[in-house]
Amino acid sequence: MRTVALARHGRTAWHAPNRYTGRSDIELDAAGVRQAAALARWAADRGFVALASSDLRRAVDTAAAAATTTGLVPAADPRLRELDFGIAEGHTLADLDPAVAKRFVRDPVTHHFPGGEHPAHAVDRFRAGLAALSERAPDGPVLVVAHSTVIRLVVCAALGLPLAEYRRRLPVLDPTAVTTLRLPAHDAPAALLAYNMPVSEGWQP
């Protein structure tokens, strides 16, 4: 069994208007930097044996803060990136063609955004990234800094929930909140130990 703490990166300027960020390489804003520092303080005494992140700046910089308190060297892996949202990149749902938005809300897997990545493919590559991390890390918990949608998709997949339900079953994942999974070595069911857990008192999304 491997315990994996999946932390969303800190806030960016696109968070408040809820713009789809995906592959867009947006940096943390001032609040995101503070949130990354809070995550770092939380991570300091958790016994993590490895630290990895997406290779996008907002995740890399959040992981870098955790590196200062854990003493771990973060590994940036493109397999841990956010879902590519295609035509929705940089836009809100309200900006899009209403027919496209309606189909997406009804079933965000079958009707994922045109030009974007299929959610099932994103789950497969993310799982490959986790498997590679587990192979090279010693026994013990690992911390992975990634992104909202791909984390929610992976949680659904790990628990045997339909991927198309990720927006309804897991509607919110706040910046630097932690979701913890216990993953089996083989194809046994995973266990969800925590979801969307804030990392400090007084924390604000």
Side-chain angles (χ1 to χ4, degrees), residues 130-183:
L130 290 182
L133 176 62
S134 292
E135 286 174 4
R136 65 178 180 264
D139 290 340
V142 298
L143 175 61
V144 175
V145 180
H147 306 268
S148 174
T149 295
V150 75
I151 289 174
R152 290 182 290 154
L153 286 166
V154 166
V155 169
C156 283
L159 298 180
L161 299 173
L163 296 185
E165 290 293 308
Y166 82 88
R167 298 179 80 249
R168 286 180 282 272
R169 301 287 188 95
L170 305 171
V172 175
L173 186 59
D174 295 315
T176 63
V178 175
T179 295
T180 306
L181 290 168
R182 184 175 293 144
L183 301 177

